[in-house]
Amino acid sequence: MLQQFLNMGFTQQQIVKAQQICKQYRNLEILDVLLKNVQSPIKEQQQSQSQILRELSFDVLTPDQRLRQKGTPVGLKNLANVCYLNSLIQTYFHNPIFVKEILSFKYPVQLNFEDLLNKNEAKAKRIKSSIDLVVHLQRLFAYLVHTDRKYVDPYRVFLNVVDEFGNRFQLGDQKDWAEFNLQFITCIDEGLKYHENKIMDAEMYNENGEQHESEQYQNKSGILQTRSMILLDENKTKLIEQQPLQSQPQNQTIINRLFFGKTKEYITHPNQRNQSEEQEQIFLQIILNVKNKSLYQAWEANNSFSIEGYRNGSEVIELAEKTIWITQVPDSLLFQIQRVGYDPERGLIKLNDEFRFEKEIYADRFLLENRQKVIETQQQLNELKIQQAELLLQMDKYQNYGGISMLTILNTATKYVKDVKPDDEIMQQRIEQCRLSIQLILQKFQLQLDQINQKIEDLYAIMKKYKYFLQSILIHEGAAESGHYYTYIYNPSLKLWFKFNDINVTQVSEEKVLRDSYGDGKSKTNAYCLIYQRADHFDPQSYSDYTNNSVYAQYIQQNLYEEVTNDNKKFSIEQQEYELVELGDLVVEIYNVQFQQVNEMARKFKYRNGNPLNNFPTYLRTLLDQMNDLVKWSILDYAIREASQGKRTLKDYQEQMIFQQRIKYNFEQLSHFKVPSKYEVDKQTIKHLQYYYLQYISSLRITAIQQFQHI
């Protein structure tokens, strides 16, 4: 059979998918499923990769498995290796200001795309896709608020994320989350500029002769830099120029206020009579080196460092020092933990080192307005940092001995001795003593490190104006160049954490969230990105509570509300139909068993006086002394009542076409002797059943009275 479908042009993956569906819906034929879900199989070789992958993504879950549980967030379907998109969408769905802006967007019906095409085709394609992206994200958000489905499809959203030339991404490509995020948010920003025809052409922002934002790009630290800046590449140890990325959002947009910050960089040249430069930059994310162990330490390292071989214009300066100060903080701070390293022998590797971060952070110490305060504490701070660095170095000797923790080595040694030399207790004791000794040393170092960190925190105690709380943690599980993304998201309204893993969304404990996120040096599952939201700009009550009437519902436009409501009605019908199909299967199972029991009971009572009263079908079969259609209909009625727990009768068989068709289908699998000669029950049959049923009830009453009198 497999070869038959392969010869027809279907792929093996498609056939396997179809077989899975047929196991769930037992009345479906494999060919029917393939023809319904996969278009033009013979032309498949001419189709794009995106089309093929899309065709393979049809649902295999049954309607009851696709039903959303009350109070549970809605999941997103994985569109073939784009789990990073799902993590991105769920994160933005938990930004109330962003959601309100998207749901309030109105399509610019008066925009003349033909005129734009004539002027600049690439720009017109990009603008059209960006507007469509906002529209489809708006539609998706409406479903995330109001649908009764467990998950929805983000395909149209993905389809409209384009590059600067309007070219779409290929479905199935593995992409870096941060890279895709930059492209996604750039498109959203451009689309939102055309809200209600209030078109803001990006070219208008440069009337004062200021540099185009498109002349800026992002370096490895997450800071946007001008083309004139050249940095040292750490891996290749030579000077290179960073490549330009997409144009960044302008100051006037809400996207810029929400996600983009500003910094001022000071570059000093100690060997050039302390010459200095100042540059203003824009940033979307802040890169944190995992080797710095914790968020604050990594942030400080990112904002103050030395540059060897720095070049300014045509003059090469041997050494320069750079400090970065934030001049404008965004409402949402995005940190990317740099977990990818390079090994000469293995190439790119993932660094699974432990990296800790707080649930609440303060940005004050990194702000330009607090520069003088920070400098005043610099000497004391430097002394503490020297102690901190020494402790980290000592700890690293134990935690990273040849790339492996010594505790891990000793645990392995203990297991080896127990397996190979189980009687060598002395060796086991020595290894255990060594392990405990190292464990105590590390605990001592950690205690000292905590004390130093607390002293550093105390220095910044007066600078706690800009408070941020941890809202989302993007988790990556896998290797450097492959793996899977999912997201932990905190809901301030419910004060609960949820795990968003494609179609599956579950509530999780904070303990598990942090345990999975920190990493332990061994597990390949750990945090890749952290998103913090500014506490005084986000009201806890402004977040969705995952009900159809959540605070987000008020922003859904009427046409979308009606669309989702109608889809819920269709889905409800689909649920009911599926329940009838499942009920039909159970009915025939009970019918088959009851048929055997009725026959056996009738044989036992054949030469006795009276009729059995344990149930109506047995009574009728014994009374009529034959298994005719009337008895079979009584068995079916009994089976329907049993399967539905008394909620349905033979009348439903008459009136519910899907229910009737399912029972007919299952009857055809039984022998002709067991089923009625015809599948339609007529009024005369119903009357006869009612007549005999009254006799049965009368016999029950008489028997009950006799038993009572006997007592």
Side-chain angles (χ1 to χ4, degrees):
M1 182 177 291
L2 175 63
Q3 189 59 48
Q4 175 188 352
F5 293 129
L6 290 172
N7 294 338
M8 294 171 66
F10 297 105
T11 68
Q12 186 169 348
Q13 294 99 321
Q14 292 169 337
I15 298 168
V16 171
K17 284 276 189 181
Q19 289 173 332
Q20 291 174 337
I21 291 178
C22 290
K23 287 181 180 179
Q24 298 290 343
Y25 299 90
R26 282 165 280 185
N27 62 328
L28 294 179
E29 295 294 334
I30 293 179
L31 182 59
D32 293 337
V33 174
L34 287 168
L35 292 174
K36 179 181 178 182
N37 292 282
V38 185
Q39 300 175 355
S40 307
I42 302 300
K43 298 179 181 179
E44 185 175 291
Q45 292 181 350
Q46 302 173 1
Q47 293 176 308
S48 69
Q49 178 188 18
S50 298
Q51 289 173 310
I52 295 171
L53 288 168
R54 180 70 181 153
E55 289 172 358
L56 287 173
S57 66
F58 52 83
D59 286 313
V60 296
L61 297 181
T62 58
D64 62 325
Q65 293 172 325
R66 287 186 273 121
L67 179 64
R68 177 186 180 184
Q69 299 301 311
K70 186 177 181 181
T72 301
V74 179
L76 292 170
K77 189 175 181 179
N78 189 334
L79 306 175
N81 286 340
V82 289
C83 47
Y84 54 85
L85 171 69
N86 292 347
S87 296
L88 191 68
I89 291 172
Q90 294 289 13
T91 297
Y92 283 122
F93 184 69
H94 288 79
N95 186 313
I97 300 174
F98 180 80
V99 172
K100 181 180 178 181
E101 190 73 11
I102 295 297
L103 289 176
S104 302
F105 179 81
K106 293 186 178 179
Y107 191 86
V109 292
Q110 301 300 322
L111 184 62
N112 191 335
F113 284 107
E114 290 186 5
D115 187 45
L116 281 173
L117 280 169
N118 293 331
K119 292 180 180 179
N120 188 325
E121 183 178 354
K123 181 177 179 180
K125 285 172 60 180
R126 190 186 70 240
I127 291 173
K128 177 66 166 62
S129 290
S130 295
I131 294 172
D132 288 345
L133 172 62
V134 176
V135 169
H136 287 294
L137 185 62
Q138 179 186 73
R139 183 172 179 268
L140 185 66
F141 277 0
Y143 273 85
L144 290 179
V145 174
H146 192 50
T147 188
D148 290 335
R149 298 179 184 270
K150 178 181 178 180
Y151 59 92
V152 290
D153 192 338
Y155 177 62
R156 290 292 172 185
V157 171
F158 177 84
L159 202 62
N160 288 285
V161 181
V162 297
D163 62 20
E164 58 183 319
F165 303 107
N167 300 317
R168 291 171 173 170
F169 290 94
Q170 285 293 314
L171 191 62
D173 287 352
Q174 276 276 1
K175 284 205 169 293
D176 177 75
W177 188 90
E179 176 190 346
F180 188 83
N181 179 41
L182 176 61
Q183 198 67 52
F184 178 84
I185 206 67
T186 301
C187 292
I188 289 291
D189 179 66
E190 183 160 39
L192 287 175
K193 292 174 185 176
Y194 295 86
H195 171 59
E196 288 187 320
N197 300 317
K198 295 177 182 176
I199 302 171
M200 298 187 292
D201 194 319
E203 296 170 1
M204 297 172 58
Y205 293 111
N206 297 287
E207 290 178 348
N208 297 327
E210 297 177 356
Q211 182 186 20
H212 264 293
E213 293 277 350
S214 59
E215 296 296 313
Q216 297 180 326
Y217 54 92
Q218 196 166 24
N219 71 12
K220 292 182 179 180
S221 65
I223 305 298
L224 294 176
Q225 304 201 148
T226 62
R227 291 178 189 270
S228 62
M229 295 187 66
I230 299 177
L231 298 178
L232 181 68
D233 183 286
E234 296 176 353
N235 291 331
K236 299 183 180 178
T237 63
K238 65 179 182 179
L239 297 174
I240 62 168
E241 182 173 355
Q242 298 290 315
Q243 296 300 314
L245 291 178
Q246 190 65 304
S247 171
Q248 302 306 315
Q250 309 298 321
N251 295 340
Q252 291 84 346
T253 68
I254 192 169
I255 294 299
N256 192 23
R257 296 195 300 272
L258 280 174
F259 306 111
F260 287 84
K262 289 184 177 181
T263 63
K264 180 171 281 190
E265 298 178 359
Y266 295 86
I267 302 176
T268 59
H269 316 143
N271 298 335
Q272 297 276 329
R273 297 179 182 177
N274 288 325
Q275 294 180 15
S276 64
E277 303 174 32
E278 294 182 11
Q279 296 172 338
E280 291 187 350
Q281 309 297 340
I282 299 171
F283 70 91
L284 171 62
Q285 67 224 28
I286 298 169
I287 305 297
L288 304 177
N289 191 330
V290 71
K291 292 298 183 181
N292 290 121
K293 303 293 185 182
S294 67
L295 187 146
Y296 276 127
Q297 290 172 227
W299 196 353
E300 289 173 355
N302 182 78
N303 282 17
S304 179
F305 53 92
S306 298
I307 307 174
E308 293 183 3
Y310 174 76
R311 180 165 47 176
N312 181 27
S314 60
E315 185 178 1
V316 177
I317 300 167
E318 292 183 359
L319 180 66
E321 293 180 357
K322 177 186 282 189
T323 56
I324 302 171
W325 298 91
I326 297 175
T327 58
Q328 178 179 306
V329 289
D331 288 347
S332 184
L333 274 176
L334 168 62
F335 296 94
Q336 180 180 342
I337 303 172
Q338 184 56 44
R339 287 191 174 276
V340 178
Y342 180 78
D343 183 274
E345 296 181 357
R346 294 181 290 169
L348 292 178
I349 58 171
K350 184 180 177 184
L351 306 174
N352 296 305
D353 304 45
E354 182 182 44
F355 188 89
R356 290 186 169 266
F357 45 86
E358 291 76 15
K359 291 184 292 181
E360 294 179 353
I361 61 172
Y362 294 86
D364 301 66
R365 73 181 71 174
F366 305 102
L367 303 186
L368 183 62
E369 65 185 68
N370 293 323
R371 183 186 182 192
Q372 191 58 40
K373 294 178 184 177
V374 174
I375 291 175
E376 289 172 359
T377 62
Q378 200 67 48
Q379 183 177 352
Q380 189 177 356
L381 184 64
N382 287 341
E383 291 176 358
L384 290 170
K385 285 187 174 180
I386 290 172
Q387 296 176 33
Q388 185 185 67
E390 289 176 351
L391 277 171
L392 289 172
L393 185 62
Q394 291 295 324
M395 293 175 71
D396 192 60
K397 291 179 180 178
Y398 292 97
Q399 294 175 332
N400 189 23
Y401 185 79
I404 306 174
S405 167
M406 290 191 70
L407 290 176
T408 301
I409 294 173
L410 291 171
N411 286 334
T412 304
T414 300
K415 184 179 179 182
Y416 173 80
V417 172
K418 286 182 177 179
D419 291 343
V420 178
K421 296 183 178 181
D423 299 329
D424 195 342
E425 296 182 0
I426 296 177
M427 179 65 73
Q428 294 179 27
Q429 289 174 0
R430 287 178 178 175
I431 295 174
E432 180 63 16
Q433 288 172 357
C434 187
R435 190 188 68 81
L436 290 174
S437 177
I438 292 174
Q439 192 172 35
L440 288 172
I441 291 172
L442 287 173
Q443 288 175 355
K444 179 183 176 182
F445 283 158
Q446 186 62 53
L447 179 61
Q448 293 174 355
L449 187 62
D450 291 341
Q451 291 172 347
I452 291 173
N453 289 337
Q454 186 58 52
K455 289 179 181 179
I456 293 174
E457 288 302 306
D458 292 341
L459 291 176
Y460 297 116
I462 60 172
M463 293 182 281
K464 289 192 174 182
K465 177 182 176 182
Y466 295 90
K467 178 181 177 181
Y468 287 78
F469 67 89
L470 182 61
Q471 185 259 340
S472 296
I473 305 173
L474 182 71
I475 300 293
H476 179 266
E477 55 182 11
E481 298 182 273
S482 63
H484 176 65
Y485 290 108
Y486 61 86
T487 309
Y488 286 124
I489 297 178
Y490 179 70
N491 187 312
S493 175
L494 303 175
K495 297 181 179 179
L496 295 171
W497 282 94
F498 290 86
K499 179 181 179 180
F500 291 81
N501 189 5
D502 293 334
I503 68 173
N504 297 310
V505 183
T506 53
Q507 183 184 327
V508 291
S509 68
E510 185 176 280
E511 179 185 3
K512 176 171 175 54
V513 170
L514 298 178
R515 184 173 64 248
D516 290 351
S517 303
Y518 288 156
D520 58 7
K522 297 177 290 184
S523 172
K524 293 183 179 180
T525 299
N526 36 53
Y528 175 73
C529 285
L530 309 172
I531 295 175
Y532 287 81
Q533 291 180 344
R534 189 167 168 179
D536 59 344
H537 285 199
F538 290 91
D539 180 1
Q541 300 308 313
S542 65
Y543 293 81
S544 172
D545 61 359
Y546 310 129
T547 66
N548 289 355
N549 298 316
S550 75
V551 66
Y552 285 0
Q554 62 184 309
Y555 308 126
I556 300 177
Q557 297 179 38
Q558 186 62 30
N559 64 315
L560 283 177
Y561 181 84
E562 291 174 356
E563 177 187 332
V564 183
T565 300
N566 289 333
D567 182 72
N568 287 340
K569 291 178 181 177
K570 292 178 182 177
F571 186 53
S572 177
I573 293 172
E574 185 182 350
Q575 291 280 325
Q576 294 170 16
E577 291 176 348
Y578 175 75
E579 289 173 3
L580 288 174
V581 169
E582 290 290 287
L583 183 62
D585 292 343
L586 181 58
V587 163
V588 176
E589 287 180 14
I590 295 174
Y591 176 93
N592 195 26
V593 173
Q594 188 63 22
F595 184 92
Q596 302 290 345
Q597 292 179 350
V598 166
N599 266 339
E600 290 176 8
M601 189 64 69
R603 283 196 294 269
K604 290 180 180 179
F605 273 80
K606 186 173 183 180
Y607 302 107
R608 299 182 187 178
N609 293 327
N611 296 316
L613 300 176
N614 55 315
N615 60 47
F616 176 59
T618 305
Y619 169 84
L620 186 60
R621 166 68 177 84
T622 308
L623 179 68
L624 300 180
D625 196 24
Q626 59 177 324
M627 180 59 79
N628 59 14
D629 279 359
L630 196 60
V631 177
K632 293 173 184 177
W633 286 121
S634 73
I635 296 174
L636 180 60
D637 181 67
Y638 173 87
I640 292 172
R641 292 173 188 270
E642 282 290 306
S644 66
Q645 298 180 344
K647 296 177 182 178
R648 296 183 182 276
T649 65
L650 195 59
K651 184 179 180 182
D652 293 280
Y653 174 83
Q654 293 175 280
E655 298 175 353
Q656 298 284 350
M657 185 57 62
I658 293 176
F659 187 44
Q660 184 180 125
Q661 291 297 325
R662 188 62 180 182
I663 290 175
K664 287 180 180 179
Y665 170 81
N666 285 313
F667 269 171
E668 290 172 357
Q669 316 306 313
L670 303 178
S671 64
H672 295 298
F673 170 72
K674 287 186 175 181
V675 298
S677 57
K678 58 181 181 178
Y679 291 145
E680 286 73 29
V681 55
D682 53 36
K683 293 182 180 179
Q684 191 68 24
T685 300
I686 297 294
K687 287 182 179 180
H688 286 161
L689 285 174
Q690 290 173 343
Y691 170 77
Y692 285 116
Y693 186 73
L694 289 175
Q695 284 190 8
Y696 170 67
I697 294 298
S698 178
S699 299
L700 284 177
R701 288 175 178 171
I702 293 172
T703 303
I705 292 172
Q706 291 174 345
Q707 290 177 347
F708 179 76
Q709 290 176 343
H710 178 72
I711 293 173

